[in-house]
Amino acid sequence: MSGWARLAGLLLAVAGSRELQPPRAQRRGAGAAGAEEAAQFDVVYSGQVNRAAERLYAFNYTSKPGQVDAVRVNVQSNSEDLQYPVLFVVRQQKGVLSWQVPLIFRGLYQRSYNYQEVSRTLCPSQPTPDSGPSEQIIFVDVASMAPYNALYRLQVTKIKSFQLMLNTPFSFSASPSQPQYFLYKFPPDVDSVIVRVTSETVYPCSVVSIQDIVCPVYDLDHNVEFNGIYQSMTKQAAITVQKKDFPSMQFFVVFVIKPEDYACGGSIPSSIRGKANYTWNLQRMKSLEVTVVPSIKGSVYVNAILFSFLSFFSFYLGALVVAFVHYVRNHRKPSIAGHSPDDGSGTVASSHPITASTPEGSSYGAIDESSSSGGQQLSLERRPRRGSDTDSSVEEESDFDTMPEIESDKNVIRTKRLLYLSDLSRKDRRIVSKKYNIYFWNIITIAVFYALPVIQLVITYQTVVNVTGNQDICYYNFLCAHPLGVLSAFNNILSNVGHLLLGFLFLLIVLRRDILHRRSLEAKDAYTTEYGIPKHFGLFYAMGIALMMEGVLSACYHVCPNYSNFQFDTSFMYMIAGLCMLKLYQTRHPDINASAYSAYASFAVVICLAVLGVVFGKNALWFWILFSVIHVVASLGLSTQIYYMGRFKIDFGIFQRAVMVLYTDCIQQCSWPMYTDRMVLLVVGNLVNWSFAIFGLVYRPKDFASYMLGIFICNLLLYLAFYVIMKLRSSERLLLIPLFCIVATAVVWAAALYFFFQNLSSWEETPAESREINRPCILLGFFDDHDVWHFLSAAALFFSFLVLLTLDDDLDSVRRDKIPVF
């Protein structure tokens, strides 16, 4: 019986120690149970707790009809003993909230951060508009299991500015242990808003979350990502919120400060670096300003869509006008020698054949022209035609390059100091056209097999973003990201429509030329077979498909732009640049251009290097050394092929032959290059490429994809400039249409590059750092700088293609044995 007596006495002692804090104000009604006195708001309560004593406080307040009142609890404790923290439990009508002091947060590598002051906002109740004043009771229970007295301070406050107003900035402060959240209600006439948050300081790193009106509110670092939409933030953040996603037409805006800055690109404080399993109490208070502004209305979407399509349909109208003018001019002029002139828009010109378009003594890179008559004689030798001059579908790939005299005399012809187009267009036209058509069919195959998994992947990305609410996955310009349906940034996708429309228009223009050319072949027109640049349209068709696919894949990339899918936006840009260079070379070298298989294999290697560059290019010196070696060797190998017109065989003996050539031509006797102009181009080209290689090796640019694209564009511009200069040196003319296209290309590309370098986001940084450079829309309140880049780059590529298509229209009436090769 003595044991039971001792147990009963202990229970009575514990029960007697549980008492209400003596009231410091008058009674505020019968809210507290029985005769308990209600504690007052905005009054600091101090006390001590241990394992044998705990404290209970009761707070009572009345809410007006339709009004949401929020209460904030602030507690402090001098206890630093993590084994015996002071426990705070808040009981409300619909929930319980609890925490401990010191409050512990876990960081990177299991580092611990503790805070001895905690401030939390209690989840407010939602009064109904029809009910009268509602009475709310809050109980705050303070306890500890410490064997000694632990001091604490308690203050409960009503929040005066809990509801955010439209277009009204609101400033406040927060810390990891003192998160904040506020309420926003949609006005009846507003369907979408943008929550903009700014801060003057970069760190500490913070998180902005949009959560539904549900208790509990997830407002701590370890649970803020459990619910709603959220972004990490340094200096600014922006979240678009739509009314349809919140049935109650209201939501909470939650602000959480992270205990470490690693997630936002910061480093671990030097004072604690390398000291794992330590507990640190850091002062990380951050001042923030939040503004809720209305988003765009549905009419803006309609205007933007109409603007996008009408802008590019104007190109269709211009093309129709030009085609109609040519049609009228061609039918008004009398036909000459049994054919209808086309003055550059079709296949032949309106003047008589020019017998000599080259000034006497002009060598185009040769010292002496001693065998032009032989070359002319060879160029007039033709194989007997088999049936129709149109392309035959029964010829197989094995029929390519089957002329017996080609292999026997190509080395003789190509060693001439002065080459004419007739020397490099001796193969059967049908076989060569079929060879170039492989470019078209192969790029369609590549496009289908490339695009389907890309589309599947970005749909998965967008689904993950919508389900998890993690807006750090995709690197949008959040200040100008307008959602539509499941798409988070519809404006970035819509702006790529220009690539599709202009790519299709270019295909139509090429098709028209192809049809006119076929009609000339069917008419047995001598101008078609003996004059002008040989017409092979396979590469042009491939360029049009590549332009359309650039629009498709760029749109896919902008569904969720990030580190993992960057190559979608650049792969076909490499192919476009490569195809343009191939087409420019093929113009005057139709018999010796690269095959489709080797060209696309080279593009595959380039894309592979681009992927490796993004993955390893930031820190790996070995990659830059490897890439620079490949770059220089590839430049030298390609230069050798171009200079010797494909006669310098590339195999394992290439190094021995190269040494022999250098010894005989540069050491044994230093002679002037046989092909001067060609040598000048290749020397300048190699200097440019070597400069790129050295620059990359020294500076190691972060954006390797743009660096690689810059290499391609510089080589293309260099070759095009050389081609135009040599064309003018050869007394050839630039007709009105190609001249207009050249000027338009230069102007539009200059404007496009200006907007391209207006960086609005960067997946090379953390999401929070990327949002620091976000900027508002600049066009129609819907499109940002990058969207304008999409518009202008599509137009610039279209004009660039037209330059290549029409550049040599002035030669349609010049015999091929009078057109120089350079």
Side-chain angles (χ1 to χ4, degrees), residues 439-455 500 541-542 544-553 556 568 571-572 575 600 607:
Y439 277 94
F440 171 66
W441 294 111
N442 277 10
I443 201 170
I444 289 181
T445 305
I446 293 171
V448 171
F449 281 91
Y450 194 97
L452 289 179
V454 167
I455 294 173
L500 292 171
Y541 285 122
I545 295 296
L547 181 56
M548 297 180 69
M549 285 307 302
E550 171 60 26
V552 172
L553 293 177
C556 290
F568 302 163
S571 296
F572 271 80
M575 298 184 70
Y600 287 130
I607 294 173

Side-chain angles (χ1 to χ4, degrees), residues 170-187:
F170 180 74
S171 301
F172 60 96
S173 298
S175 73
S177 63
Q178 301 178 42
Q180 299 270 13
Y181 63 86
F182 303 95
L183 174 71
Y184 178 78
K185 293 183 179 181
F186 280 100

